[in-house]
Amino acid sequence: MKELITGAEALMRSLEHQGVEVLFGYPGGSIMPVFDALYDHRKTLNHILVRHEQAAAHAAQGYARVSGRVGVTLVTSGPGATNTITGVADAMIDSTPIVVIAGQVATGFLGTDAFQEVDLVGITQPITKWSYQIRRAEDVPWAVARAFYIARSGRPGPVVLDFAKNAQIDKMEYEPTDVDFVRSYLPVPEMDEEAIREAARLINGAERPLVLVGQGVELGHAQQELRQFVEKADLPAGCTLLGLSALPSDHPLNKGMLGMHGNLGPNINTNKCDVLIAVGMRFDDRVTGKLATYAQQAKIIHFDIDPAEIDKNVKTHLAVLGDCKQTLAAVTALLQPAKHTEWIESFKAYEAVEEEKVIRPELHPQTPELSMGEVVRAVSEESRHEAVLVTDVGQNQMMSARYFKFTRERSIITSGGLGTMGFGLPAAVGATFGRPDRTVCVFMGDGGLQMNLQELGTIMEQKAPVKMILLNNNYLGNVRQWQAMFFNRRYSFTPMLNPDYMQIAAAYGIPSRRVQRREELHEAIREMLDTDGPFLLEACVIEEGNVLPMTPPGGSVNQMLLEC
């Protein structure tokens, strides 16, 4: 007779079977049998005790994004589970593979409004790839195997397992389980050879081609295939926010960031190219601007693994479905070596204008106060452009994306689609566990930092070497910028009365330094990077600085504002 173990123990063994090494979580009543089982697996399953369940989900996201593995969150029922919802939604829209395992009341109490009961499956079905309630101990190995398969395969995303308490306690015969097929679920569409040939024909005939690089390149581990693709046919490229590190910043064909606060060249030339080639991106509204005027002149080729994204926002002329690691290589094999010298030269005029009117004033401001951009660029330079960039949301996010440089893949972690303030600090914690060999720098505003400030406790306990850069302008900066530009400078509840962050850091035993003078900046950054463990660097920046260029709401991508 096989050994009988509890469902909670089966969960531990199933997680180990899936190769899990790190979990982020918070215990509670309905998940207590699982945490009790975890006590005997502490050598193989490193549980990181966060200070809030939302932070557990964001930490799992940071871990997944930087490592390419599935992030795991372990929480209790009721408020413990609902506190993860923001992270689950964030992971869904940004295609991040996480598995959230939440406790639930015993099946006999379901539907009775028992203490800390909530319909987690009903709540999360719209924002997950799969949401399932485990009601029997014997279902644990199958449910875990299926959850990890769905989370990591195809277009990645979040999965929620709602684990009833009786299933945690009841006994079962454990057997390791693997899942590599789910009926009616096709994670990777079959490559269409005719579409491959037609894509090559259109690109070979293009005079003004432009590639839009999305996060799908990173998720598909297709960075090398992308480089071969653009280099063979001399294709200039712009990157989405989440795709910024898929192509090195200094690559001669990388023309910068797309979108509302992106670079002039790739945005304006989107409406001038004759063939637009989108790779692993979803034509988000922050990239396209006004859809009615977006790339109307171009034939649009869309490489994507998810058929649901085809024609969802932008009508394409040709869809190339499949894993971009395979489809890019297949198209590249049919491309003719080409040179688009005159077209590529056209980007230089826009680069010169942006350099004069935006970049130089930001990096070399004629003010006594520091600018956000100069702080970001200084950190990037001092870390030799090799660090992992994590951001919160707002002006700090856009300035970081614009002025941080990338030489290595999987180097940007940010909340793109959902725009979650409070994302940065816990995501950075997760990143330090996902890639302990890399320097992790997180940029935050004073608003976003305070949304998950309690995670300084996690950093203190774990000695997580997070390099925290607070760009403090005493405002909710992004909202204030919009109020200045579109609401007649009526700063309604955006000024911030801030605490002394140095004292807060000291309370957690975290070294810190405040910088107000330009001549101290590089020395302070060096101190931060040379410090073993965590460090908080507060940079006091221009209070009413603005992120430019900017496509105004409802505007076209070629109508970017260079000044407020």
Side-chain angles (χ1 to χ4, degrees), residues 392 421-423 425-426 444-456 470 472 474-476 495-501 504:
D392 206 82
M421 287 181 68
F423 173 89
L425 192 60
M444 300 168 287
D446 40 317
L449 170 58
Q450 292 185 81
M451 283 199 171
N452 267 314
L453 185 66
Q454 76 286 336
E455 294 314 305
L456 291 175
L470 170 61
N472 190 355
N474 297 305
Y475 274 102
L476 296 175
M496 296 280 285
L497 178 62
N498 281 307
D500 186 331
Y501 292 104
I504 292 174

Side-chain angles (χ1 to χ4, degrees), residues 15-38:
L15 292 175
E16 290 170 344
H17 183 66
Q18 292 297 324
V20 174
E21 297 175 352
V22 181
L23 307 89
F24 304 91
Y26 203 96
S30 289
I31 199 68
M32 207 171 296
V34 169
F35 272 86
D36 185 65
L38 180 59

Side-chain angles (χ1 to χ4, degrees), residues 414-430:
T414 190
S415 175
L418 201 62
T420 304
M421 287 181 68
F423 173 89
L425 192 60
V429 172

Side-chain angles (χ1 to χ4, degrees), residues 26 33 51 53 65 109 136 139 222 401 410 436 446 498:
Y26 203 96
R51 299 309 191 257
E53 291 91 351
R65 292 268 285 276
F109 289 97
R136 305 185 311 160
D139 292 337
R410 286 189 175 271
D446 40 317
N498 281 307

Side-chain angles (χ1 to χ4, degrees), residues 203-204 206 230-235 335-341 344:
I203 296 169
N204 283 332
V230 299
E231 289 170 359
K232 184 173 183 180
D234 201 30
L235 307 172
L335 292 180
Q336 299 167 359
K339 285 292 180 185
H340 297 103
T341 305
I344 292 173

